Amino acid sequence: MKLRIYLMALLLSGAAFTGCGDDVTRNAPFDNKVYIDAASKTETMPLKNSFRETTRTIRAAVPKPAGQDVNLEFRVDPSLAATYNSAYYDNAEPLGEEFYELLDGKALLNQGTVQSSEVTVSFRNLNLLDRDKVYVLPVTIAAADGISVLQSASTHYYVFKGVPSISVVADMEKKNYVSIPTFLDEKPSAAVCNDLEQFTLEALIRVRKFDPGIQTVMGIEGNFLLRISDNGLKPNQLQYVTPYGNISNDACLLPTDKWIHIAATYDMNAKEVKLYIDGALVGEQGNLNYTEPANFGKPAGFQKQKFYIGFSYEPGRELDGEMSEFRIWNVVRTPEEIAENPYEVEPDAPGLVAYWKFNEGNGLTITDHTGNGNDGVAKSPVKWTPVTLPEPK
């Protein structure tokens, strides 16, 4: 009697477990319906300047092998944005036609198989979308010859939402700085930052306080160097040091505890250097006398100093604040390019030869995102700080 009761309970529990499955499982033994083959009904992608284009593939599936060849057609249905909003309590707009292309849209589910061929969706110009809005592209199974469509799993939603370009930065407290071992040892990988007839230096910083004395941003002492203050300058006055003269004036005064984007350019052939703060030209010098290529990947200047981030010449000149987005280019970036991209650029952007984002969140290594292999190393443990940049409007 006890054995019969145990077996009956086991059967009932098995039936209850089977009944808890999703629509696909429940229908599989009775009706072979086709549905979109995806782990989730939605896929969310970021809206940010560096995310401009991408492609995705989509396909259909059935719970058990198809009894015949099935021709399928996928379509974009903007009206289903309302369905998405209702289901996910969102306020998304349908993605405009200028931002995507559904290539062909036709797929084939062969007899005896459970997955169809893939259909490709191509997205473009995503960086032009308003990052304060949410967009959705519903792709649905519009037709399936000779087989029913499981309506509850017939649509996939591609969702686009704005995300911070920068979510973590390095707080380089006083006495901490970054060296580039491949530069210090003149490794072959450092050559991309040498013999530059043109360059642009960029950095995003937030200084905690301005005490009397020099604070270094980046560069090489006695050569090309971005630093704050010097003899005769105010504690918060930015200075662009070059072999041909220094640039600094009253337009170079920096605020405390505010993110500032700095850029400096050099053009050997045009014989000019320029300095920018937050995309605005604040100083320049032309008609340079004798000019020669610049080097950051090996010792330079009459003192043969080396390149550092947040340090120069001697201890006590470290930057007291937060760092992000340090870059070296082998081109002179235009004022428009400098102003448009303070928070991120493509790691493979033409002319970008070193790119330290300072977004690791742990450890001492500061990765060179260009892939050139010129990683930085902090002198001491870094304090990693969560941020949201650009800051909400």
Side-chain angles (χ1 to χ4, degrees):
M1 176 63 71
K2 290 183 178 180
L3 179 61
R4 290 178 61 190
I5 293 172
Y6 172 77
L7 292 173
M8 183 62 72
L10 186 62
L11 289 170
L12 288 173
S13 65
F17 180 79
T18 303
C20 291
D22 59 17
D23 288 346
V24 175
T25 303
R26 287 199 298 270
N27 284 282
F30 309 105
D31 191 3
N32 205 24
K33 293 186 177 182
V34 66
Y35 58 93
I36 286 184
D37 186 20
S40 172
K41 291 183 180 180
T42 66
E43 179 183 356
T44 301
M45 287 177 273
L47 290 182
K48 57 182 190 176
N49 288 338
S50 63
F51 190 66
R52 303 189 176 194
E53 58 184 42
T54 188
T55 59
R56 293 293 187 272
T57 57
I58 189 170
R59 64 185 177 188
V62 287
K64 59 183 180 181
Q68 63 186 49
D69 287 349
V70 178
N71 291 307
L72 301 162
E73 183 178 354
F74 290 83
R75 292 179 189 168
V76 172
D77 188 348
S79 70
L80 292 175
T83 304
Y84 166 81
N85 288 330
S86 176
Y88 294 94
Y89 304 99
D90 213 336
N91 190 31
E93 298 180 5
L95 188 68
E97 293 182 359
E98 65 271 30
F99 298 106
Y100 72 87
E101 181 180 4
L102 179 62
L103 305 179
D104 189 12
K106 299 184 184 302
L108 176 63
L109 177 63
N110 287 314
Q111 181 180 2
T113 65
V114 295
Q115 291 180 322
S116 75
S117 57
E118 294 181 333
V119 168
T120 300
V121 187
S122 176
F123 298 96
R124 58 182 178 267
N125 300 324
L126 298 174
N127 59 305
L128 301 181
L129 291 168
D130 187 340
R131 292 166 61 175
D132 293 327
K133 295 183 178 181
V134 179
Y135 302 88
V136 62
L137 184 75
V139 179
T140 190
I141 301 175
D145 294 343
I147 193 170
S148 299
V149 177
L150 183 60
Q151 293 302 320
S152 62
S154 63
T155 303
H156 191 70
Y157 300 97
Y158 295 101
V159 184
F160 298 86
K161 294 184 176 182
V163 298
S165 296
I166 302 172
S167 58
V168 65
V169 298
D171 188 341
M172 304 299 288
E173 297 170 298
K174 201 70 173 173
K175 297 186 179 178
N176 200 4
Y177 61 88
V178 174
S179 60
I180 317 298
T182 53
F183 287 10
L184 300 179
D185 298 334
E186 300 181 53
K187 297 292 186 181
S189 64
V192 295
C193 294
N194 292 330
D195 301 314
L196 305 180
E197 296 186 3
Q198 296 181 326
F199 71 70
T200 302
L201 303 179
E202 291 185 84
L204 189 64
I205 63 172
R206 179 164 64 179
V207 181
R208 199 178 345 269
K209 58 182 178 179
F210 298 99
D211 291 328
I214 291 172
Q215 295 192 56
T216 305
V217 180
M218 68 189 300
I220 297 180
E221 179 73 24
N223 196 250
F224 290 99
L225 181 71
L226 285 168
R227 67 186 181 192
I228 301 166
S229 195
D230 194 4
N231 292 331
L233 301 184
K234 297 177 181 178
N236 65 329
Q237 190 167 339
L238 181 67
Q239 183 184 48
Y240 179 22
V241 178
T242 84
Y244 315 106
N246 303 336
I247 295 176
S248 190
N249 52 56
D250 288 342
C252 298
L253 300 180
L254 304 180
T256 304
D257 202 28
K258 180 181 178 182
W259 284 104
I260 299 294
H261 181 260
I262 298 168
T265 67
Y266 168 66
D267 191 328
M268 185 185 80
N269 299 315
K271 298 183 182 298
E272 62 184 13
V273 291
K274 295 183 179 181
L275 178 63
Y276 298 83
I277 297 178
D278 286 338
L281 180 66
V282 294
E284 61 183 319
Q285 184 175 338
N287 300 315
L288 305 179
N289 294 325
Y290 171 74
T291 58
E292 59 183 4
N295 299 296
F296 294 108
K298 62 182 180 181
F302 68 94
Q303 294 178 317
K304 296 300 180 183
Q305 296 286 326
K306 297 184 179 182
F307 178 93
Y308 294 97
I309 294 174
F311 176 83
S312 65
Y313 192 62
E314 62 185 2
R317 296 188 177 192
E318 301 87 356
L319 182 76
D320 185 13
E322 294 166 329
M323 296 182 175
S324 184
E325 295 293 309
F326 278 63
R327 313 163 190 160
I328 301 177
W329 305 76
N330 65 8
V331 296
V332 173
R333 303 200 81 205
T334 67
E336 293 76 19
E337 290 170 335
I338 291 170
E340 286 174 1
N341 300 286
Y343 301 109
E344 61 179 339
V345 293
E346 294 281 2
D348 60 352
L352 186 62
V353 292
Y355 186 16
W356 302 284
K357 291 182 67 67
F358 285 86
N359 68 345
E360 283 70 21
N362 60 79
L364 298 178
T365 300
I366 313 299
T367 303
D368 174 11
H369 287 265
T370 64
N372 289 328
N374 296 308
D375 296 345
V377 177
K379 178 177 180 290
S380 57
V382 177
K383 179 182 176 182
W384 298 97
T385 305
V387 297
T388 298
L389 294 175
E391 295 173 334
K393 298 178 181 179

